[in-house]
Amino acid sequence: MAKRRQAVTIKHVASDAGVSLQTVSRVVNKEPGVRPEMASRVQASIDKLGYVPSIAAQRMAGSRSYLILALNDRERTIADWRARQGTDWLDQMLLGGMLTCAEHGYRMIVELVDTHSDHIERELMGAIAALQPDGVILTPPHSGNPLIINLLAAQGISFARIGSLTEGPGIRLIMDDTRAARIATEHLIAQGHRRIGFIAGPDDYELSAWRVDGWREAMAAADLEAVDLLGDGDFSYASGRAAAQALLALTRPPTAIIGGNDQMTLATLDVARERGMNVPRDLSVISFDDTPIIRLARPPVTAVVQPIAEVSARAVSLIIADLGQSPHDGTPVTVAAQLTLRESTAPPVAVENGT
Amino acid sequence: MAKRRQAVTIKHVASDAGVSLQTVSRVVNKEPGVRPEMASRVQASIDKLGYVPSIAAQRMAGSRSYLILALNDRERTIADWRARQGTDWLDQMLLGGMLTCAEHGYRMIVELVDTHSDHIERELMGAIAALQPDGVILTPPHSGNPLIINLLAAQGISFARIGSLTEGPGIRLIMDDTRAARIATEHLIAQGHRRIGFIAGPDDYELSAWRVDGWREAMAAADLEAVDLLGDGDFSYASGRAAAQALLALTRPPTAIIGGNDQMTLATLDVARERGMNVPRDLSVISFDDTPIIRLARPPVTAVVQPIAEVSARAVSLIIADLGQSPHDGTPVTVAAQLTLRESTAPPVAVENGT
DNA sequence: CTGAAAGCGCTAACAG
DNA sequence: CTGTTAGCGCTTTCAG
């Protein structure tokens, strides 16, 4: 392979325009203090020669790398890819993140990191040393990991934390899971449901607890008993089955169940079917994730739609702003999730009395 | 933002190990000509300090960038993301590509490029100048684009072309669409079908024609007439509807239809349902894409499973090999697709005579 | 087998 | 407002 060098460098532009390297650099970086006529002359040469700065050189010279790292959980991401169930968390993230990056001349690089590894630190530092990203986007469960957060802060890298409210450095963004859970629960209550179950996610995802909180709040506000209606899951289909089975085997089973994510909701649907129950007639179901599998299920499932693309876009914007003049003030940013009604929810056949 | 420098550089390692920069460099790059004891001493310092080379510096100094660019069609990719139908082409590509990259110390960067733009050249050159990737993976319809191919070849960049057999430079990889289409068709013939329709994709995808070829071959081999059974589509749902409607409105309609991709197959399913036909009793259907939407359809659809992850993995391996000692010889690489039987295919109710 | 010198493309810090 | 100088971290020569 022939040794490849930059085809057209800042030098070519400088000599073509008859100015110094520095002037070209200033024009490229839109720095002030260049006479308009000079600037347009330089710009003309840039366009003519098709000059594009090398990010490697820019980074080397102490400027930016124009790279933003999106850190995702390795195990879960690979499992989702392999399962081919249409889980599109990462896709939505790319949609929002990549496009926003592109608008600002940045690129997004996806990096998978083991959550439960004892050498997260080495992995992360390796990626940072190799790539020298200007910013990092953390997704759950990394976004709440103090090790990662402090490491990034120590490196002086701008980073966004999606789905975490844990105190600490970094730009925090949430989708207000508590509110979304409350709205979902209220919707069921408004339909006449009194016994509403909730299948929670695992503890290492902060949002698991938030969702439970929203459900609890709505139940309490309506004076409904919730204590025995909380199912225990870990986001997996199997855990969803177990939780749904336990809930439906109660003496006074719920007439509606909210699943903490799509897989557990799907499991609930299957368990209900196996028990000869019709959804939504005998059991209403709401999912806390609007993946294709939920949309294509029979019946199509009412779901909380997470604005992942929008959150990612915001995360990128905020990181880039933070890099520049307007450092982030630390206030968490909220992007509202929505409840999309479909055919899996209906008033209960026989309304029971709460408590 | 504090100016960030490499935390630990080759210099630190060199002084820690008491050797020259050069020796460290040789150890890092596994170059021969370093005494084992020396090498292990250096390696110890590397591990101790957690040194990771900066790819920016490596690239600057004329070495590799350890970056591989995955070029995808912008319009289609974004449309798929927005539609949230679970299309996981890109995900499968990342699965195979990213993991294989990681094994070799490379990173994969996804880049979206407009196919029909008149400035593809500028876009591509911009990405290359900015990132200086060591390799590029081209997906349809880019993989057959002579402008792109020649540009890459002129730059001396290793690149893989997935789904294109057009003559020219680059490592070609295909999934043997012709064979897959033949197998799908043969399966239907074996079930007793004589009138088998095929809905083709758009011309700018070479594989569209290959799939049609496989169907034609199988039909011809069984002495079946095919000429009036070719539907015209462009991979969109709407085009699939139109084609399916046209086919089913024939005087002697097909008893089975193979859709050129998932959306067109889905459209076929819907059209059949609207006409009061039961699948598979009144119409057998096979999809040429095994996306979640096809797997979750009612009934679950028999489909050709494209080994996208495997092809991407191979593409990365071949590019990296090409970069090193074993330049690729130009022979197209084939990875076989498989037919996964589900519930959308059955023998026809009344067997007609072909021709 | 190992080291020293030069330079990749660019920007920061100074001068003019 | 513009140009000059000195590196950034690494690999490539080319000497020892």
Side-chain angles (χ1 to χ4, degrees):
Chain A
M1 207 74 316
K3 191 187 311 173
R4 287 181 300 101
R5 284 234 184 68
Q6 196 79 342
V8 26
T9 74
I10 199 170
K11 277 187 190 166
H12 301 137
V13 176
S15 82
D16 183 81
V19 298
S20 73
L21 302 184
Q22 200 40 237
T23 303
V24 178
S25 175
R26 286 187 180 110
V27 173
V28 168
N29 296 302
K30 298 188 178 61
E31 281 171 26
V34 179
R35 238 183 313 149
E37 37 184 318
M38 189 102 266
S40 65
R41 180 145 58 99
V42 172
Q43 189 58 53
S45 292
I46 289 175
D47 293 340
K48 188 177 83 181
L49 301 176
Y51 167 71
V52 176
S54 150
I55 65 168
Q58 291 186 131
R59 172 64 256 187
M60 282 296 297
S63 177
R64 301 184 177 183
S65 65
Y66 297 99
L67 256 27
I68 289 182
L69 216 58
L71 237 58
N72 284 77
D73 183 44
R74 168 178 281 133
E75 205 179 335
R76 178 163 300 277
T77 304
I78 293 178
D80 283 346
W81 281 340
R82 291 238 162 88
R84 300 201 66 176
Q85 300 273 296
T87 306
D88 59 354
W89 220 100
L90 187 61
D91 299 73
Q92 293 302 304
M93 184 167 179
L94 290 175
L95 172 57
M98 278 187 54
L99 298 190
T100 308
C101 275
E103 282 171 19
H104 298 269
Y106 278 72
R107 320 260 164 182
M108 171 166 272
I109 298 190
V110 175
E111 187 84 10
L112 303 181
V113 175
D114 273 326
T115 310
H116 302 296
S117 157
D118 49 338
H119 40 249
I120 285 189
E121 190 167 348
R122 278 201 116 69
E123 274 194 54
L124 221 198
M125 287 303 283
I128 289 172
L131 260 13
Q132 313 245 79
D134 292 332
V136 175
I137 296 182
L138 261 27
T139 56
H142 300 312
S143 44
N145 187 324
L147 201 71
I148 295 179
I149 294 172
N150 293 326
L151 202 146
L152 252 22
Q155 296 287 313
I157 297 180
S158 290
F159 62 102
R161 294 162 49 196
I162 295 180
S164 171
L165 284 178
T166 303
E167 281 297 324
I171 304 165
R172 292 176 288 174
L173 299 101
I174 56 166
M175 306 189 230
D176 206 343
D177 295 78
T178 302
R179 182 175 155 279
R182 202 169 50 226
I183 288 174
T185 309
E186 285 167 356
H187 171 68
L188 292 168
I189 293 173
Q191 281 193 138
H193 293 274
R194 292 292 170 267
R195 301 280 293 164
I196 302 170
F198 192 98
I199 303 179
D203 288 339
D204 52 348
Y205 284 72
E206 292 175 48
L207 49 79
S208 294
W210 299 338
R211 293 173 183 182
V212 171
D213 288 346
W215 165 73
R216 276 221 184 87
E217 286 175 17
M219 293 295 273
D223 240 359
L224 297 175
E225 201 179 315
V227 62
D228 60 330
L229 293 172
L230 180 63
D232 201 27
D234 62 10
F235 282 169
S236 71
Y237 179 86
S239 76
R241 281 194 69 88
Q245 252 146 1
L247 285 173
L248 294 176
L250 289 175
T251 313
R252 292 194 301 137
T255 59
I257 293 180
I258 302 176
N261 77 333
D262 58 345
Q263 286 299 317
M264 301 196 297
T265 306
L266 194 71
T268 302
L269 236 41
D270 288 347
V271 167
R273 185 173 305 121
E274 287 163 20
R275 297 175 74 100
M277 302 173 84
N278 174 286
V279 172
R281 196 194 60 211
D282 307 320
L283 183 72
S284 283
V285 171
I286 295 185
S287 171
F288 226 105
D289 266 341
D290 184 49
T291 53
I293 205 172
I294 283 301
R295 215 172 301 123
L296 299 172
R298 303 269 310 175
V301 180
T302 291
V304 172
V305 181
Q306 309 279 357
I308 301 164
E310 195 185 338
V311 168
S312 309
R314 292 290 298 276
V316 169
S317 298
L318 290 169
I319 285 175
I320 294 175
D322 186 62
L323 250 25
Q325 308 310 323
S326 39
H328 193 70
D329 65 2
T331 316
V333 173
T334 300
V335 180
Q338 287 188 331
L339 185 69
T340 293
L341 302 180
R342 296 209 183 84
E343 300 164 31
S344 67
T345 44
V349 178
V351 177
E352 301 183 41
N353 285 321
T355 303
Chain B
M1 207 76 313
K3 191 188 309 171
R4 288 181 299 102
R5 285 235 184 68
Q6 196 80 340
V8 27
T9 74
I10 199 170
K11 277 187 190 167
H12 300 135
V13 177
S15 80
D16 183 82
V19 297
S20 72
L21 302 184
Q22 203 35 239
T23 304
V24 178
S25 175
R26 287 188 179 108
V27 172
V28 169
N29 296 302
K30 299 190 177 60
E31 282 171 24
V34 179
R35 240 182 312 148
E37 37 183 319
M38 189 103 267
S40 65
R41 180 145 60 99
V42 172
Q43 189 58 52
S45 292
I46 290 176
D47 293 340
K48 188 177 84 181
L49 302 175
Y51 168 71
V52 176
S54 151
I55 64 167
Q58 291 186 130
R59 173 64 256 188
M60 282 294 298
S63 177
R64 301 184 177 183
S65 65
Y66 296 99
L67 257 28
I68 290 181
L69 216 59
L71 238 58
N72 284 78
D73 183 44
R74 168 178 281 134
E75 205 179 335
R76 177 163 300 277
T77 304
I78 293 178
D80 284 346
W81 282 340
R82 292 239 161 89
R84 300 201 65 177
Q85 301 271 297
T87 306
D88 59 354
W89 220 99
L90 187 61
D91 298 76
Q92 294 302 304
M93 183 167 181
L94 290 175
L95 172 57
M98 277 188 55
L99 298 190
T100 308
C101 275
E103 283 171 19
H104 298 268
Y106 277 73
R107 320 259 164 183
M108 172 166 271
I109 298 190
V110 176
E111 187 85 9
L112 304 181
V113 175
D114 274 326
T115 311
H116 302 295
S117 159
D118 49 340
H119 41 249
I120 285 190
E121 191 167 346
R122 278 201 114 72
E123 274 196 54
L124 222 198
M125 287 302 283
I128 289 172
L131 261 12
Q132 314 245 80
D134 292 332
V136 174
I137 296 182
L138 261 27
T139 55
H142 299 314
S143 43
N145 187 324
L147 201 69
I148 295 180
I149 294 172
N150 293 326
L151 202 145
L152 252 21
Q155 295 288 314
I157 297 179
S158 289
F159 62 102
R161 292 162 51 196
I162 295 180
S164 171
L165 284 178
T166 303
E167 282 296 326
I171 304 165
R172 293 175 288 174
L173 298 102
I174 57 165
M175 305 188 229
D176 207 344
D177 296 77
T178 302
R179 181 176 156 279
R182 200 170 50 225
I183 289 174
T185 309
E186 284 167 356
H187 171 68
L188 291 167
I189 292 173
Q191 282 192 138
H193 292 276
R194 293 292 170 267
R195 300 281 292 166
I196 302 170
F198 193 99
I199 303 180
D203 289 339
D204 51 348
Y205 283 73
E206 291 176 47
L207 50 79
S208 294
W210 299 338
R211 293 174 183 182
V212 170
D213 288 345
W215 164 73
R216 277 222 183 86
E217 286 175 17
M219 293 295 273
D223 240 0
L224 298 174
E225 200 179 316
V227 62
D228 60 331
L229 292 171
L230 180 63
D232 201 26
D234 61 10
F235 282 168
S236 72
Y237 180 86
S239 76
R241 282 194 69 88
Q245 251 146 3
L247 285 174
L248 294 176
L250 290 175
T251 312
R252 291 194 303 137
T255 60
I257 293 180
I258 303 176
N261 78 333
D262 58 345
Q263 287 300 317
M264 299 196 297
T265 306
L266 194 70
T268 302
L269 236 41
D270 289 346
V271 167
R273 186 172 304 121
E274 288 163 19
R275 297 175 74 101
M277 302 174 84
N278 174 286
V279 173
R281 197 193 58 211
D282 306 320
L283 182 72
S284 283
V285 171
I286 295 185
S287 172
F288 226 105
D289 266 341
D290 184 51
T291 52
I293 205 171
I294 282 301
R295 215 172 302 122
L296 299 171
R298 303 268 312 175
V301 179
T302 291
V304 173
V305 181
Q306 309 278 359
I308 301 163
E310 195 185 337
V311 169
S312 308
R314 292 290 298 276
V316 169
S317 298
L318 290 169
I319 285 174
I320 293 175
D322 186 62
L323 250 26
Q325 307 310 322
S326 39
H328 192 70
D329 66 1
T331 316
V333 173
T334 300
V335 180
Q338 288 188 332
L339 185 68
T340 293
L341 302 180
R342 297 210 183 85
E343 301 163 31
S344 67
T345 43
V349 179
V351 178
E352 301 182 40
N353 286 321
T355 305

